[in-house]
C-alpha cells in the first residue's frame, strides 16, 4: 500500500536489472557463477538464522519490535533475496513462475485435510 508521501515499491524486474547493473559496473560477472551464488545465498540464509538461533518461539515473533534486531533481519532478508535473484538471473529462472509451479505441485502433494484427496495418513507432515 502506498500513500501520497510514499513511492510505490520497485517491481521485481527493476530490482533484477539493478542487481545486474550493480554487478556489471564492478565487473563481478565472472564470479557470479551458479555455484558461487548458491554458496553466497546459503551463507546469507545462515546469517539470517543466526539472529534467531537462541530465541524462544515467542521472542522470535517479536524480533522486529527492537530496532537493532529489526534492522539486522531486514538487511539479511535483503541479502538472501539479492543472491536468489542474481542466481535466477544467471540461470534464466523466472522466480515467480518457479514459485507458482512449486505451489501448484505442493497443493497436489499436500491436499487439504478432510478433502478426501489425502494419500497418506499424515497429510504429508513428515515431508514438510
Amino acid at each position: 500500500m502506498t500513500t501520497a508521501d510514499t513511492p510505490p515499491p520497485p517491481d521485481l524486474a527493476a530490482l533484477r536489472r539493478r542487481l545486474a547493473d550493480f554487478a556489471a559496473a564492478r565487473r563481478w560477472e565472472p564470479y557470479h557463477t551458479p555455484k558461487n551464488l548458491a554458496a553466497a545465498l546459503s551463507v546469507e540464509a545462515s546469517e539470517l538464522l543466526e539472529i534467531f538461533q537462541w530465541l524462544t518461539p515467542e521472542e522470535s515473533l517479536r524480533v522486529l519490535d527492537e530496532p537493532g534486531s529489526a534492522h539486522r533481519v531486514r538487511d539479511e532478508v535483503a541479502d538472501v533475496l539479492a543472491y536468489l535473484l542474481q542466481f535466477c538471473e544467471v540461470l534464466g529462472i523466472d522466480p515467480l513462475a518457479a514459485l507458482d509451479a512449486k505451489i501448484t505441485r505442493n497443493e497436489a502433494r499436500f491436499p487439504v485435510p478432510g478433502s478426501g484427496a489425502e494419500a497418506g495418513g499424515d497429510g504429508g507432515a513428515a515431508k514438510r
Side-chain angles (χ1 to χ4, degrees):
M1 180 176 186
T2 62
T3 65
D5 297 333
T6 314
D11 65 28
L12 191 60
L15 290 172
R16 290 178 79 173
R17 184 78 258 137
R18 263 182 88 187
L19 284 167
D21 291 347
F22 183 88
R26 289 151 182 82
R27 299 184 180 134
W28 288 351
E29 295 104 329
Y31 309 105
H32 283 195
T33 65
K35 178 193 96 42
N36 288 349
L37 291 169
L41 175 59
S42 177
V43 168
E44 295 301 339
S46 295
E47 290 178 7
L48 178 60
L49 175 60
E50 181 182 31
I51 297 166
F52 295 89
Q53 185 173 8
W54 303 115
L55 300 181
T56 66
E58 296 77 20
E59 290 169 333
S60 71
L61 290 170
R62 295 188 307 270
V63 74
L64 294 182
D65 294 345
E66 197 275 307
S69 62
H71 177 74
R72 288 182 59 214
V73 168
R74 287 186 182 99
D75 274 359
E76 296 308 334
V77 165
D79 289 341
V80 168
L81 183 57
Y83 279 117
L84 178 60
L85 292 176
Q86 290 174 92
F87 178 84
C88 289
E89 185 73 23
V90 167
L91 290 178
I93 295 170
D94 177 338
L96 297 181
L99 177 58
D100 182 56
K102 181 65 174 184
I103 292 169
T104 299
R105 286 193 304 279
N106 283 344
E107 288 169 339
R109 284 182 63 203
F110 307 110
V112 175
S115 68
E118 311 90 87
D122 69 352
K127 296 182 182 178
R128 277 185 225 133

